[in-house]
């Protein structure tokens, strides 16, 4: 029985698959990098143009953050809100006034004392150029070097740091008003952060960590800066170097400048000691500064700062150069808090930016892992110490000696048995 082709349905031949919608292509990564770099340049240029406004404003913010815990403690003790705000405002104004008075007095004394050493500086430069001429240096190079080593230029470079901080007096009205408003608003900062934490807890955590790290850094740096300033001032006064208190204040200010603050603080008193007592006194000043600052800043201070900063040395140095270029000398003083704020806003609030935190932090591992490793290492060290102590105790303890019923020793140096007692009568 045959079947016709009409009895079976026709099967369509397989053809090419239907073409779907064309895949969407995102922005190339190279273009994203270029746009990001261009945006950074534009923002940096804008910040540098208004550095006169941003630097004092951020300094006011840092001062208010530093004294904010005082208001919280007073409120927990039952003080009314207006009283705590008044205390914070007075404390902030007292800090600013002390800084301004110290800088004004130092700059005035510096301008009075330095001209007295102009003749000594010229004589020293003449001696130095004569010695260089004996070594074969040409007269044109000597004249150029002598002109560049002018005491007035050195004094100008020295006063740049102090004048930049004292220059806040030109914006005194703005700064005082900003400090007043920030101090009044600081009482409600906790409620504002709690409101933000309902929707964006990571932002609140990042800002809290920034405030905590800034307070810890400022507290430790201020305390050790005062210690260094007092020690340097006393040492310079004992050595007979003029303006000892001024150089102590300079040491206190440059203590906030990471990495190179010590170098900036030691150059002026060393130069003045060279003019006052010759190379020997200048060398003694440098050695005294190196000893004091190395012990305090390199050995003791890092133990107290701990993880408050959490930035590597390279990142700290690059940040110092960047903020000093962007905001001037005041940017160098505020380099660490500014970097912590940028890290909090750009890295800590974004979980996808953990790779950047790995390059920024001081330790290769996470802080929790580093703390766990340090604790485990300390525990192993303690265990080894206990085992060593136990073995020493066992070695020092004499072996127990067996006794007979009559109280005589059994065994001895020869390893034999003690003879029986001699019978009596």
């Amino acid at each position: 029985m045959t079947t016709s082709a009409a009895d079976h349905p026709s099967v369509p031949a397989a053809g090419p698959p239907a073409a779907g919608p064309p895949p969407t292509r995102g922005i190339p990564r190279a273009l994203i990098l270029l746009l990001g770099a261009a945006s950074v340049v534009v923002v940096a240029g804008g910040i540098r143009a208004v550095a006169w406004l941003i630097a004092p404003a951020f300094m006011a913010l840092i001062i208010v953050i530093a004294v904010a815990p005082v208001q919280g403690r007073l409120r927990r003790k039952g003080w009314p809100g207006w009283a705590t705000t008044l205390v914070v405002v007075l404390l902030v104004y007292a800090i600013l006034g002390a800084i301004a008075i110290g800088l004004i007095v130092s700059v005035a004394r510096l301008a009075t004392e330095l001209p007295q050493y102009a003749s000594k500086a010229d004589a020293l430069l003449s001696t130095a150029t004569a010695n260089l001429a004996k070594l074969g240096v040409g007269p044109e190079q000597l004249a150029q070097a002598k002109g560049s080593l002018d005491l007035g230029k050195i004094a100008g470079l020295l006063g740049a740091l102090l004048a930049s901080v004292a220059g806040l007096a030109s914006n005194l009205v703005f700064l005082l008003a900003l400090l007043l408003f920030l101090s009044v608003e600081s009482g409600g900062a906790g409620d504002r952060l709690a409101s933000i934490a309902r929707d964006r807890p990571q932002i609140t955590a990042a800002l809290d960590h920034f405030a905590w790290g800034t307070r810890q850094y400022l507290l430790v740096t201020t305390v050790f800066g005062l210690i260094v300033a007092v020690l340097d001032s006393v040492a310079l006064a004992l050595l007979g170097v003029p303006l000892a208190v001024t150089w102590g204040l300079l040491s206190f200010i440059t203590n906030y400048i990471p990495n190179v603050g010590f170098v900036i603080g030691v150059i002026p008193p060393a130069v003045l000691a060279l003019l006052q007592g010759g190379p020997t006194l200048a060398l003694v000043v440098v050695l005294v500064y190196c000893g004091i600052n190395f012990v305090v800043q390199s050995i003791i201070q890092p133990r107290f700062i701990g993880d408050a900063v959490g930035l590597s040395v390279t990142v700290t140095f690059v940040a110092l150069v960047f903020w000093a270029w962007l905001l001037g000398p005041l940017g160098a003083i505020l380099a660490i808090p500014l970097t912590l704020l940028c890290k909090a806003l750009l890295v800590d609030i974004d979980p996808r930016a953990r790779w950047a935190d790995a390059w920024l932090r001081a330790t290769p591992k996470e802080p929790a892992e580093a703390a766990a490793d340090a604790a485990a290492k300390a525990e192993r060290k303690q265990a080894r110490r206990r085992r060593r102590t136990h073995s020493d105790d066992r070695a020092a303890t004499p072996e127990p000696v067996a006794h007979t019923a009559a109280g005589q020793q059994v065994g001895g140096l020869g390893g034999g048995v003690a003879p029986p007692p001699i019978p009596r009568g």
Side-chain angles (χ1 to χ4, degrees):
M1 182 175 181
T2 61
T3 58
S4 62
D7 296 335
H8 299 279
S10 60
V11 179
T24 57
R25 301 189 60 177
I27 302 177
R29 186 175 298 274
L31 182 58
I32 294 176
L33 294 176
L34 289 176
L35 291 176
S39 301
V40 170
V41 172
V42 172
V43 172
I47 292 176
R48 192 176 185 186
V50 292
W52 61 271
L53 175 66
I54 294 179
F58 189 76
M59 183 177 179
L61 176 63
I62 292 301
I63 294 176
V64 173
I65 289 176
V67 301
V70 176
Q71 190 173 19
R73 291 185 179 181
L74 294 179
R75 285 189 173 184
R76 286 192 295 270
K77 291 183 178 180
W79 285 45
W82 64 268
T84 59
T85 302
L86 180 61
V87 170
V88 170
V89 171
L90 293 178
L91 186 60
V92 168
Y93 283 174
I95 294 174
L96 186 63
I99 294 174
I101 292 174
L103 290 173
I104 291 173
V105 172
S106 298
V107 171
R109 293 193 61 192
L110 189 65
T112 304
E113 290 288 337
L114 282 183
Q116 301 177 7
Y117 295 92
S119 59
K120 294 183 178 179
D122 293 337
L124 184 63
L125 289 177
S126 301
T127 304
T129 53
N131 293 330
L132 291 175
K134 295 178 180 178
L135 296 176
V137 181
E140 297 180 358
Q141 289 81 3
L142 291 175
Q144 185 178 1
K146 186 176 180 179
S148 61
L149 294 176
D150 187 8
L151 185 62
K153 294 181 180 179
I154 297 177
L157 293 176
L158 169 62
L161 181 64
L162 298 176
S164 64
V165 183
L168 297 175
S170 60
N171 300 321
L172 187 60
V173 177
F174 165 74
L175 186 59
L176 292 177
L178 184 61
L179 285 170
L180 175 62
F181 297 146
L182 287 175
S183 301
V184 173
E185 294 291 337
S186 63
D191 297 333
R192 298 177 189 273
L193 290 176
S195 178
I196 296 174
R198 297 189 187 100
D199 298 329
R200 303 293 176 88
Q202 293 177 347
I203 296 179
T204 304
L207 293 178
D208 285 339
H209 188 269
F210 158 71
W212 173 82
T214 301
R215 291 192 193 103
Q216 292 296 111
Y217 169 75
L218 291 178
L219 176 63
V220 175
T221 306
T222 300
V223 170
F224 284 97
L226 288 173
I227 295 174
V228 169
V230 171
L231 293 178
D232 289 343
S233 299
V234 172
L236 292 176
L238 293 176
L239 292 174
V241 178
L243 303 175
V245 177
T246 300
W247 307 136
L249 179 61
L250 182 64
S251 299
F252 174 74
I253 294 175
T254 55
N255 192 54
Y256 292 95
I257 302 177
N259 299 330
V260 299
F262 160 70
V263 179
I264 298 175
V266 72
I267 291 177
V271 172
L272 198 59
L274 180 64
L275 299 177
Q276 177 75 16
T280 303
L281 183 59
L283 181 60
V284 171
V285 169
V286 172
L287 292 178
V288 168
Y289 261 68
C290 290
I292 294 175
N293 287 269
F294 176 75
V295 172
V296 175
Q297 297 180 355
S298 301
I299 298 178
I300 302 177
Q301 184 172 338
R303 295 179 179 269
F304 290 87
I305 290 181
D307 297 330
V309 176
L311 300 174
S312 66
V313 178
T314 304
V315 172
T316 303
F317 180 73
V318 173
L320 168 67
V321 176
F322 174 75
W323 292 115
W325 168 79
L326 196 64
L327 299 177
L330 194 58
I333 297 174
L334 301 174
I336 296 297
L338 283 166
T339 307
L340 291 178
L341 179 61
C342 291
K343 180 176 178 290
L345 297 178
L346 301 177
V347 178
D348 295 342
I349 65 175
D350 190 1
R352 297 173 299 178
R354 294 175 64 89
W355 63 270
D357 182 68
W359 292 105
L360 295 176
R361 61 176 179 250
T363 57
K365 297 182 179 180
E366 293 280 351
E369 295 182 22
D373 292 344
K377 184 178 180 181
E379 181 63 27
R380 291 193 298 269
K381 186 176 181 180
Q382 290 292 336
R384 289 195 300 267
R385 187 177 299 171
R386 287 194 297 267
R387 288 195 300 267
R388 189 182 302 112
T389 303
H390 182 65
S391 61
D392 293 342
D393 292 341
R394 291 182 59 184
T397 303
E399 294 185 3
V401 180
H403 291 76
T404 62
Q408 295 180 348
Q409 296 182 356
V410 177
L413 295 177
V417 179
I422 301 174
R424 298 177 180 270

